[in-house]
């Protein structure tokens, strides 16, 4: 929709269209956020329920493993007590610590890190003579046990006697004890668990029917995990992770339900229809499974983040006026009192420091009284008020009571709103002054026109007419006297009609200014853009303005110009007539000059004068519509102050600019810059030096 089509729409219709556009987007965003929260709660609940099931399996694994750690520990203690044992003695010790379940493949002892004793011997003969130091697969596990001086579990290990196992090893130290004795490394005792039987007995294999599992071990304690059981791809599927608690070393269980995590709740469609109810059920479920503390912490963090993200200052005080919470924006607003804005500081201390630092305009010169007023207001009922800071900012302050006697304070920076309000009031005042000036300027020529018309209706009462009639009534008539009386009548009529014509033209100029401004604002100006001779344009201006300049005793200088400019000749002439007319109007003595400078791409028309000049502050406003620098000056010289605003708009609509430079007491200079040729079709434009239209532009 174009701008011209949009403008006639009523404000209500535009607001309705805006609501119809924004509301669906807002509703979609809210629904999306609520649905996302429901999905998050569902995921948490699902993971927690699976975690409970996995915790039971973990407990069984830990129990099974710890029992065998204890068996290994007892075997190590027995070997330390009898380091000179043989195979038969070792078998007797192994049988003493053996457990009834059939998970242990063998017990072994390796004095000097070489396996010499195994139980049972009949199916583990291949392990005899195994040198741990020379075995790449088992060396790291033995080294870890020696470094930790404690039992460790490693695996899975391919056993020399066949199959795979989990090996529990513990170093054995022999020698005298006590403060005077010394202990040396005797060797290592180990317990080998059947890998598959262990997982089956601990219930993990049964669990694998419902879960994809992966178990890792960090038996060295160096942070490098080794695979113990399951599929390593589970680690990248957002698994549930549980740590096993062993006497030494650590395992981590990772689990993902088969066939994987669901994309969302199974009843997502119904959930979207009854989001509030589903949310309540999910929250209740989370509360029943012990996640209240986690959700409460998350909610507090979210609330804290939301408060911190506010553009408004936020502070909360307890019933004793102590600050218990605030956001960064609140501290920034009261930056001069920032040293006191911290938890535990009282409201009295904060505002006292603010008054001492001269932050509040209302407190200047009456600090103590103002502090007492603020404390009384703070302790009183809910209130909303404005605060003006000495920094120039304006705040909308709101103090609201809490049920426990505390207060919540909001501080909204309304500086921009205040400035906008002031600008709106200034604009309204400027338009009112414009209407007053316009009515005055229109009334003056209308008074003259009506006065002259009234006099003409009673022409017989005019002195020259009565003198003529008296001459005509003489007998005989004096021809010379009659001729003189007649000429006097015509002279008076001409003078009266001149006044009437000047007043009518003045009123026409006022109406044209108002109509031109209306056209510019509505975008309904039409332009016939073409290349025109700059000399033709300034010649026309000279013809229009030379008499006005001479009538005021001013010198009008317009040096010859050459070249062409790409513009609408009528509108460009209108701009220059306005600029030269203003220069003549506001120059009491001296000269007004219109000169032309041309480059390859830009033509500059400069109108300078020797008038009173314009202050730097006023130069910012002279091109604003309805903005009069001095209404008394405007009325003294005529016009309503729209000419420069219209001229700049007409320049911009021709792809040009209009700028001013001036100094009080040293005159002013206005420069109109227009393109030398059209941006496109340069060749065609160059052929139209006489002003033939090569383009048409509607503002």
């Amino acid at each position: 929709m174009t701008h011209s089509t949009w403008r006639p729409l009523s404000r209500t219709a535009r607001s309705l269209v805006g609501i119809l556009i924004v509301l669906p987007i807002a509703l979609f965003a809210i629904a999306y956020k609520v649905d996302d929260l429901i999905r998050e709660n569902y995921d948490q609940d699902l993971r927690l329920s699976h975690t409970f099931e996995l915790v039971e399996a973990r407990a069984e694994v830990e129990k099974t493993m710890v029992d065998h750690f204890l068996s290994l520990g007892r075997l190590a203690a027995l070997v330390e007590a009898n380091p000179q044992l043989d195979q038969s003695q070792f078998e007797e010790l192994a049988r003493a610590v053996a457990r009834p379940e059939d998970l242990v493949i063998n017990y072994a002892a390796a004095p000097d890190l070489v396996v010499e004793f195994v139980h049972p011997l009949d199916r583990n003969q291949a392990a005899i003579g195994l040198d741990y130091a020379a075995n790449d697969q088992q060396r790291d596990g033995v080294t870890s046990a020696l470094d930790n001086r404690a039992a460790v579990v490693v695996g899975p290990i391919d056993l020399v006697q066949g199959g795979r196992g989990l090996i529990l090893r513990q170093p054995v130290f022999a020698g005298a004890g006590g403060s005077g004795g010394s202990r040396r490394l005797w060797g290592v005792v180990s317990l080998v668990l059947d890998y598959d039987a262990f997982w089956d007995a601990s219930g993990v294999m049964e669990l694998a029917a419902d879960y994809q599992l992966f178990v890792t071990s960090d038996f060295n304690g160096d942070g490098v995990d080794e695979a113990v059981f399951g599929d390593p791809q589970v680690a990248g599927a957002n698994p549930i992770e549980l740590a096993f608690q062993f006497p030494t070393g650590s395992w981590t269980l990772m689990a993902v339900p088969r066939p994987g995590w669901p994309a969302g709740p199974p009843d997502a469609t119904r959930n979207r229809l009854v989001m509030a109810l589903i949310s309540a059920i999910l929250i209740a479920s989370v509360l029943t499974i012990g996640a209240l503390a986690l959700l409460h912490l998350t909610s507090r963090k979210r609330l804290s983040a939301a408060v911190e993200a506010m553009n408004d200052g936020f502070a909360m005080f307890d019933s004793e006026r102590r600050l218990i919470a605030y956001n960064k924006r609140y501290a920034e607003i009261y930056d001069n009192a920032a040293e006191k804005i911290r938890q535990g500081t009282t409201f009295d201390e904060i505002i006292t420091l603010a008054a001492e630092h001269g932050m509040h305009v209302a407190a200047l010169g009456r600090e103590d009284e103002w502090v007492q007023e603020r404390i009384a207001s703070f302790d009183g009922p809910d209130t909303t008020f404005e605060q003006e800071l000495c920094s120039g900012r304006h705040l909308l302050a709101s103090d609201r009571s809490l049920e426990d006697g505390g207060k919540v304070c909001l501080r909204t920076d309304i500086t921009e709103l205040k400035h906008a309000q002031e600008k709106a009031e200034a604009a309204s005042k400027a338009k009112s002054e414009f209407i007053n000036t316009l009515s005055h300027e229109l009334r003056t020529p209308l008074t003259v026109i009506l006065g002259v018309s009234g006099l003409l209706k009673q022409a017989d009462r005019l002195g020259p007419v009565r003198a003529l009639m008296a001459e005509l009534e003489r007998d005989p008539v004096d021809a010379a006297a009659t001729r003189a009386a007649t000429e006097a009548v015509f002279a008076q009529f001409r003078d009266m009609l001149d006044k009437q014509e000047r007043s009518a033209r003045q009123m026409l100029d006022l109406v044209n200014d108002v109509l031109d401004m209306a056209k510019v604002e509505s975008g309904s100006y039409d332009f016939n853009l073409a290349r025109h001779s700059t000399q033709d344009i300034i010649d026309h201006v000279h013809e229009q303005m030379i008499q006005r300049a001479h009538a005021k005793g001013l010198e009008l200088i317009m040096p010859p110009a050459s070249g062409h400019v790409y513009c609408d000749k009528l509108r460009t002439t209108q701009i220059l007539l306005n600029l030269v007319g203003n220069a003549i109007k506001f120059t009491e003595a001296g000269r007004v000059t219109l000169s032309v400078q041309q480059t390859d791409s830009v033509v500059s028309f400069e109108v300078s004068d020797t008038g009173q000049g314009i202050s730097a502050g006023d130069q910012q406003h002279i091109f604003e519509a309805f903005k009069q620098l001095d209404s008394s000056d405007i009325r003294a010289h005529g016009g309503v102050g729209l000419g420069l605003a219209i001229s700049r708009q007409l320049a911009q609509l021709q792809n040009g600019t209009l700028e001013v430079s001036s100094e009080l007491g040293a005159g002013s200079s206005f420069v109109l810059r227009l393109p030398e040729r059209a941006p496109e079709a340069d060749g065609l434009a160059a052929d139209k030096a006489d002003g033939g239209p090569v383009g048409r532009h509607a503002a």
Side-chain angles (χ1 to χ4, degrees), residues 614-657:
I614 306 169
S615 68
D618 288 341
Q619 290 178 36
Q620 302 176 11
H621 304 295
I622 60 175
F623 292 108
E624 297 179 16
F626 312 116
K627 189 75 173 183
Q628 300 178 2
L629 303 184
D630 187 341
S631 59
S632 62
D633 216 22
I634 292 293
R635 292 185 179 180
H637 295 90
V640 291
L642 288 178
L644 289 177
I646 296 171
S647 295
R648 171 167 277 188
Q649 292 280 3
L650 292 178
Q652 292 173 346
L653 291 172
Q654 296 180 82
N655 298 316
T657 61

Side-chain angles (χ1 to χ4, degrees), residues 471-517:
E471 290 295 334
L472 293 175
E473 290 174 356
R474 289 183 181 182
D475 188 19
V477 175
D478 186 343
T482 301
R483 185 180 302 107
T486 302
E487 290 176 354
V489 170
F490 288 155
Q492 184 169 17
F493 279 6
R494 282 195 299 271
D495 182 62
M496 294 172 66
L497 291 175
D498 284 344
K499 290 181 180 178
Q500 191 174 52
E501 182 180 4
R502 285 196 300 272
S503 297
R505 288 188 180 278
Q506 181 183 355
M507 189 163 61
L508 178 61
D509 289 341
L510 295 175
V511 173
N512 284 338
D513 279 351
V514 175
L515 292 177
D516 283 344
M517 194 65 209

Side-chain angles (χ1 to χ4, degrees), residues 9 28 243 248 262 276 327 338 395 509 628 676 690:
L9 293 179
F28 176 80
T248 59
N327 65 359
L395 304 178
D509 289 341
Q628 300 178 2
E676 190 272 337
D690 59 351

Side-chain angles (χ1 to χ4, degrees), residues 95 104 137 271 420:
R95 282 192 292 270
V104 178
Q137 189 177 17
N271 287 347

Side-chain angles (χ1 to χ4, degrees), residues 450-583:
L450 293 174
V452 171
S453 298
L455 289 175
L456 290 176
K457 288 181 179 179
Q458 301 179 20
D460 57 333
R461 297 184 181 183
L462 296 176
V465 174
R466 293 171 65 184
L468 174 62
M469 295 300 296
E471 290 295 334
L472 293 175
E473 290 174 356
R474 289 183 181 182
D475 188 19
V477 175
D478 186 343
T482 301
R483 185 180 302 107
T486 302
E487 290 176 354
V489 170
F490 288 155
Q492 184 169 17
F493 279 6
R494 282 195 299 271
D495 182 62
M496 294 172 66
L497 291 175
D498 284 344
K499 290 181 180 178
Q500 191 174 52
E501 182 180 4
R502 285 196 300 272
S503 297
R505 288 188 180 278
Q506 181 183 355
M507 189 163 61
L508 178 61
D509 289 341
L510 295 175
V511 173
N512 284 338
D513 279 351
V514 175
L515 292 177
D516 283 344
M517 194 65 209
K519 286 183 178 181
V520 168
E521 289 190 342
S522 65
S524 59
Y525 248 122
D526 288 337
F527 290 86
N528 290 311
L529 299 177
R531 295 189 76 218
H532 298 279
S533 168
T534 54
Q535 186 63 50
D536 288 347
I537 294 175
I538 64 174
D539 283 346
H540 185 73
V541 175
H542 186 272
E543 292 172 2
Q544 294 286 321
M545 290 293 154
I546 187 63
Q547 292 299 328
R548 188 184 300 184
H550 288 171
K552 200 171 181 182
L554 300 176
E555 184 180 4
L556 182 60
I557 302 173
M558 294 187 184
S562 61
H564 297 81
V565 60
Y566 183 75
C567 66
D568 183 304
K569 184 176 181 180
L570 176 63
R571 305 306 176 191
T572 302
T573 303
Q574 179 181 349
I575 297 172
L576 294 176
L577 287 173
N578 193 314
L579 297 178
V580 175
N582 279 349

Side-chain angles (χ1 to χ4, degrees), residues 231-548:
D231 184 0
Q233 293 184 354
V234 173
N238 190 25
I240 298 171
E241 297 188 18
L242 296 175
F244 291 94
Q245 301 298 323
F246 294 153
T248 59
S250 65
W251 281 7
T252 300
L253 171 64
M254 305 180 193
V256 174
R258 296 182 185 276
W261 295 111
D267 52 354
T269 301
R270 182 173 61 85
N271 287 347
R272 295 187 180 100
L273 299 177
V274 289
M275 285 183 179
L277 178 61
I278 295 300
S279 298
I281 294 174
L282 290 176
I283 293 173
S285 300
V286 174
L287 291 176
T288 59
I289 57 179
L292 176 62
L294 178 61
L295 289 178
H296 180 65
L297 178 62
T298 301
S299 298
R300 291 193 62 178
K301 287 183 178 180
R302 289 177 178 173
L303 177 60
S304 176
V307 170
E308 193 63 38
M310 292 172 58
N311 288 327
D312 300 337
F314 171 88
M316 183 183 297
F317 295 84
D318 63 15
S319 58
E320 298 181 3
R321 299 201 295 266
R322 288 192 301 265
L323 182 63
I324 58 177
Y326 65 95
N327 65 359
K328 181 179 179 182
R329 181 59 178 156
Y330 184 83
E332 289 176 349
I333 290 175
Y334 299 110
D335 53 350
N336 287 345
E339 60 188 84
K340 285 290 185 181
I341 299 179
R342 57 179 181 271
Q343 290 184 352
T345 303
T346 65
F347 176 78
D348 305 20
E349 293 174 323
I350 294 175
I351 63 171
T352 299
L353 184 62
E356 292 174 352
H357 286 182
M359 290 188 60
H360 295 272
V361 174
L364 297 178
R366 51 187 297 273
E367 287 77 7
D368 294 339
E369 182 181 356
W370 179 82
V371 169
Q372 295 305 317
E373 290 175 356
R374 282 294 296 120
I375 293 175
S377 174
F378 189 82
D379 291 338
D382 294 349
T383 180
T384 299
F385 55 96
E386 288 189 16
Q387 289 183 333
E388 182 180 0
L389 304 184
C390 292
S391 62
R393 288 189 289 182
H394 293 264
L395 304 178
L396 181 63
S398 175
D399 296 339
R400 293 290 181 266
S401 301
L402 300 175
E403 293 183 357
D404 61 358
K407 284 277 188 178
V408 169
C409 302
L410 290 177
R411 300 294 184 264
T412 303
D413 193 330
I414 59 171
T415 304
E416 295 299 326
L417 182 61
K418 292 290 288 186
H419 290 170
Q421 180 181 359
E422 292 171 357
K423 289 182 179 179
E425 292 173 352
S428 177
K429 180 180 178 182
K431 287 196 175 184
S432 297
E433 291 182 358
F434 166 75
I435 295 299
N436 291 335
T437 302
L438 179 62
S439 61
H440 176 271
E441 292 297 323
L442 288 175
R443 188 182 298 115
T444 300
L446 281 174
T447 300
V448 174
I449 293 172
L450 293 174
V452 171
S453 298
L455 289 175
L456 290 176
K457 288 181 179 179
Q458 301 179 20
D460 57 333
R461 297 184 181 183
L462 296 176
V465 174
R466 293 171 65 184
L468 174 62
M469 295 300 296
E471 290 295 334
L472 293 175
E473 290 174 356
R474 289 183 181 182
D475 188 19
V477 175
D478 186 343
T482 301
R483 185 180 302 107
T486 302
E487 290 176 354
V489 170
F490 288 155
Q492 184 169 17
F493 279 6
R494 282 195 299 271
D495 182 62
M496 294 172 66
L497 291 175
D498 284 344
K499 290 181 180 178
Q500 191 174 52
E501 182 180 4
R502 285 196 300 272
S503 297
R505 288 188 180 278
Q506 181 183 355
M507 189 163 61
L508 178 61
D509 289 341
L510 295 175
V511 173
N512 284 338
D513 279 351
V514 175
L515 292 177
D516 283 344
M517 194 65 209
K519 286 183 178 181
V520 168
E521 289 190 342
S522 65
S524 59
Y525 248 122
D526 288 337
F527 290 86
N528 290 311
L529 299 177
R531 295 189 76 218
H532 298 279
S533 168
T534 54
Q535 186 63 50
D536 288 347
I537 294 175
I538 64 174
D539 283 346
H540 185 73
V541 175
H542 186 272
E543 292 172 2
Q544 294 286 321
M545 290 293 154
I546 187 63
Q547 292 299 328
R548 188 184 300 184

